Amino acid sequence: MIEQLSGLSSATDGIMKSVSETRYVTTPNGIDGVGGVEQASFTDTLANVSQEAVDRIKAGEAASIAGVDGQASVQQVVEAVMAAESSLQTAIAIRDKVVTAYQEISRMTI
């Protein structure tokens, strides 16, 4: 399962590189209180979220193995597995939304 997720992560890297690097910059005068700080692009944010999901799933799997070996408590295993499950469900929901948006765009008439 981890190999499939890592493959998914490497496949999304190619997709992310093909997406335009549009970035939003705050106002130089700092009207919004941030003061000209550049914010992360959608591509970077999505890449970070997907990497964090993969890391949580790996941690959940490692905790499960440690629990079987008797090196981790049941509570630690349950917490790690629940975090991994939550991350996986979030990743699936995001994927579904992206696919739906793509399909909607592809149905648009030009």
Side-chain angles (χ1 to χ4, degrees):
M1 180 174 175
I2 295 299
E3 291 81 18
Q4 293 170 341
L5 290 172
S6 297
L8 176 64
S9 177
S10 64
T12 56
D13 289 343
I15 294 170
M16 296 301 171
K17 288 178 184 173
S18 67
V19 175
S20 67
E21 290 293 325
T22 305
R23 294 181 185 266
Y24 297 97
V25 180
T26 59
T27 58
N29 297 333
I31 295 171
D32 59 355
V34 179
V37 176
E38 190 174 327
Q39 296 178 358
S41 70
F42 178 73
T43 304
D44 294 338
T45 303
L46 194 57
N48 289 339
V49 168
S50 64
Q51 186 59 45
E52 288 175 8
V54 168
D55 292 342
R56 282 193 188 136
I57 292 171
K58 285 181 181 180
E61 191 171 273
S64 297
I65 292 171
V68 169
D69 290 342
Q71 299 172 352
S73 69
V74 174
Q75 182 179 358
Q76 291 172 331
V77 172
V78 169
E79 288 174 356
V81 169
M82 292 299 288
E85 182 182 6
S86 175
S87 295
L88 184 60
Q89 288 175 350
T90 302
I92 290 170
I94 291 171
R95 181 208 59 194
D96 291 345
K97 291 290 185 179
V98 168
V99 169
T100 302
Y102 176 78
Q103 289 174 341
E104 189 72 26
I105 290 170
S106 68
R107 281 186 245 143
M108 290 178 141
T109 57
I110 297 177

